[in-house]
């Protein structure tokens, strides 16, 4: 994905990815905390991620109030390229498509969202536009809710600039 919004790209089969952010990506909560993510491409066009979102890593939640702690899984499935069934050549304007869900399973579902996303890729940029629906009883916490989008520019092979809107707020970053 971009910063906190998904794109239609998925990890290749057998490929792994790890990420860390020093804040919780939610609304209506104390955002001070940590997000640890680990993902893998299981099959062509299918990726899964595990996530630990927590306000603290040093407290025992069974004996003291440690704030929010959410261990969950996410899945994204890329929609197969159907254009080859209809057309001889895929038009350049046709985006890649994916469907996904965040924060599946676990006792807490603080960030659950279901989404669909379209991504247009070029050599030096990509743009994504999607629609997400947060779990209704937790909607105040899941930022990925409503229309979202991102734009990623890659001026150099090792540098990307990103801007996104996650349905609640705009963000920018580099990687």
């Amino acid at each position: 994905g971009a910063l906190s919004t998904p794109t239609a790209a998925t990890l290749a089969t057998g490929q792994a990815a790890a990420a860390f952010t020093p804040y919780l990506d939610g609304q209506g909560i104390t955002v001070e905390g940590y997000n640890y993510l680990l993902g893998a491409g299981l099959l062509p066009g299918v990726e899964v991620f595990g996530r630990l979102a927590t306000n603290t890593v040093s407290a025992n939640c069974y004996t003291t109030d440690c704030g929010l702690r959410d261990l969950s899984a996410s899945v994204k499935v890329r929609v197969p390229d159907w254009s080859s069934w209809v057309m001889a050549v895929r038009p350049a304007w046709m985006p890649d498509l994916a469907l996904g869900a965040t924060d599946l399973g676990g006792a807490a579902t603080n960030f659950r969202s279901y989404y669909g996303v379209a991504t247009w890729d070029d050599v030096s940029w990509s743009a994504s536009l999607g629609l997400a629906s947060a779990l209704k009883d937790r909607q105040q916490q899941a930022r990925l809710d409503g229309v979202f989008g991102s734009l990623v520019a890659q001026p150099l092979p090792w540098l990307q600039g990103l801007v996104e809107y996650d349905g609640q707020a705009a963000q920018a970053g580099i990687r």
Side-chain angles (χ1 to χ4, degrees):
L3 292 170
S4 62
T5 59
T7 65
T10 57
L11 294 172
T13 304
Q15 187 177 25
F20 168 78
T21 59
Y23 64 91
L24 295 180
D25 193 21
Q27 60 175 332
I29 60 172
T30 301
V31 296
E32 296 165 351
Y34 312 94
N35 269 310
Y36 300 93
L37 297 111
L38 182 61
L42 293 184
L43 300 166
V46 178
E47 72 177 25
V48 295
F49 267 84
R51 171 185 180 176
L52 172 61
T54 183
N55 289 122
T56 177
V57 293
S58 59
N60 181 343
C61 294
Y62 294 107
T63 61
T64 185
D65 180 16
C66 64
L68 182 132
R69 187 156 296 166
D70 190 333
L71 181 62
S72 64
S74 299
V75 64
K76 180 170 45 173
V77 177
R78 190 169 170 176
V79 175
D81 183 10
W82 55 270
S83 64
S84 61
W85 308 337
V86 183
M87 301 170 241
V89 176
R90 179 180 172 164
W93 55 264
M94 187 173 290
D96 293 321
L97 303 172
L99 300 171
T102 63
D103 199 356
L104 296 173
T109 54
N110 294 296
F111 309 104
R112 184 172 293 174
S113 291
Y114 302 95
Y115 64 88
V117 63
T119 300
W120 295 264
D121 277 317
D122 194 50
V123 174
S124 60
W125 62 270
S126 71
S128 294
L129 182 63
L131 181 63
S133 178
L135 184 66
K136 297 305 177 202
D137 65 341
R138 298 289 185 169
Q139 198 164 16
Q140 73 280 3
Q141 292 177 332
R143 286 182 57 134
L144 189 60
D145 189 36
V147 175
F148 65 89
S150 66
L151 180 61
V152 178
Q154 187 160 353
L156 300 169
W158 51 269
L159 178 66
Q160 291 181 332
L162 304 90
V163 293
E164 70 177 11
Y165 178 75
D166 60 16
Q168 307 301 316
Q171 302 180 89
I174 59 171
R175 63 178 171 202

